[in-house]
Amino acid sequence: MSSNIEVQKVCEFCGKEFTAKTTVTRFCSHGCASRSYKQRKKENKIGKAIEETNQQKLLSLTELNLEAIKQKDFLSIKEAHTLLGLSERTFYRLLKAGTIQAVRLGKRTIIKRSEIDKLFAS
């Protein structure tokens, strides 16, 4: 049971109008389909390369921020838990347990760098 469908379509790669034998045909020829496939693969590789470059930039920025944090004498909660490599929740647990001493200045909580150094001196 064959059908004699003839649908006028426009090739997604080259833009030429052609007569398709099925309703799902996207390209006018095998050549256009192959070139489109190759172009998609190339764009995918370029996208991955850009993503890797962005990840490297992000890591270098994080390292720079970490170096800046190490130079400070007084740290915020975020800076302190970043420096220690802890989650924010775990850091708050240490504060509540009294392992780390903090001072409230208005709405801000400040931690002395020496308090963090004491954790590793013992």
Side-chain angles (χ1 to χ4, degrees):
M1 195 167 132
S2 66
S3 63
N4 295 328
I5 298 174
E6 289 187 2
V7 180
Q8 287 300 111
K9 290 198 155 202
V10 177
C11 179
E12 289 183 14
F13 184 75
C14 67
K16 292 181 183 175
E17 192 172 311
F18 69 100
T19 304
K21 302 251 184 208
T22 66
T23 58
V24 295
T25 303
R26 297 171 48 201
F27 305 103
C28 63
S29 66
H30 178 70
C32 280
S34 296
R35 286 190 287 277
S36 176
Y37 172 78
K38 200 168 189 176
Q39 182 180 4
R40 284 192 314 270
K41 288 296 180 183
K42 182 179 178 182
E43 288 170 356
N44 191 11
K45 282 185 181 181
I46 291 170
K48 284 183 181 179
I50 290 171
E51 186 177 318
E52 287 175 7
T53 303
N54 289 340
Q55 286 289 344
Q56 289 172 351
K57 286 180 184 178
L58 184 63
L59 288 176
S60 65
L61 285 175
T62 304
E63 290 171 5
L64 288 174
N65 289 343
L66 194 56
E67 290 300 320
I69 290 171
K70 287 179 182 179
Q71 303 302 320
K72 292 183 175 183
D73 291 331
F74 299 96
L75 304 171
S76 68
I77 298 281
K78 185 173 183 173
E79 291 169 338
H81 78 76
T82 301
L83 181 64
L84 290 173
L86 301 172
S87 71
E88 190 174 353
R89 185 69 217 133
T90 301
F91 192 79
Y92 275 110
R93 282 190 204 112
L94 290 174
L95 284 175
K96 187 175 181 180
T99 308
I100 299 173
Q101 299 297 318
V103 177
R104 298 256 325 158
L105 296 173
K107 291 185 178 184
R108 293 195 60 183
T109 303
I110 305 294
I111 298 103
K112 279 187 179 179
R113 175 63 198 265
S114 59
E115 286 292 323
I116 293 175
D117 293 339
K118 284 180 189 177
L119 291 173
F120 300 107
S122 307

